[in-house]
Amino acid sequence: MINSRTKGASAEREVFKIISDQVGIKVERNLVQTREGGSDTVVGEWAIEVKRQETLSINVWWEQAVEQALRVNKKPMLIYRKSRMPWKVVIYAEDLVIFYGGTVISEELVEVSLQMGIQILRDNHESSI
């Protein structure tokens, strides 16, 4: 049986490597996240929370992402998936520029592909240079 903390750390490393490779910046885990209750990492103005679990709890995870983002005055971004499924990204609808597209999953949230989430991070990074 896989330890959930090990599985979570592995998921974070997987996502952060993808982001690092595609955005061109070094993304590292927040090593004090458990002790201080912070997000998994921060990229630009985004506080990112990563989840890989078989039972989806998107609303609970989103609340966690929002709380953690507020602590560091960043925008929340949730990246999640089940095993052997594609990564998905949840952000506030208002944070998504209209031409990016996406699928509305509630009145205020959108869910997009990981590639779209990476494009948002890339555009944010490039606009801050």
Side-chain angles (χ1 to χ4, degrees), residues 25-39:
I25 59 173
K26 186 172 177 83
V27 179
E28 296 179 324
R29 293 180 65 222
N30 175 5
L31 297 178
V32 295
Q33 63 186 298
T34 302
R35 183 177 70 230
E36 296 179 1
S39 59

Side-chain angles (χ1 to χ4, degrees), residues 47 63-76 92:
E63 287 177 22
Q64 179 185 3
V66 169
E67 287 174 16
Q68 293 168 348
L70 286 172
R71 288 183 189 148
V72 292
N73 198 29
K74 302 290 182 184
K75 296 178 182 183
Y92 280 122

Side-chain angles (χ1 to χ4, degrees), residues 72-91:
V72 292
N73 198 29
K74 302 290 182 184
K75 296 178 182 183
M77 178 181 282
L78 169 65
I79 302 176
Y80 76 93
R81 75 174 173 99
K82 288 184 174 184
S83 296
R84 297 174 296 283
M85 298 298 291
W87 287 103
K88 295 182 180 182
V89 176
V90 177
I91 59 173

Side-chain angles (χ1 to χ4, degrees), residues 35-49:
R35 183 177 70 230
E36 296 179 1
S39 59
D40 294 331
T41 197
V42 172
V43 176
E45 58 187 79
W46 298 93
I48 300 173
E49 181 65 26

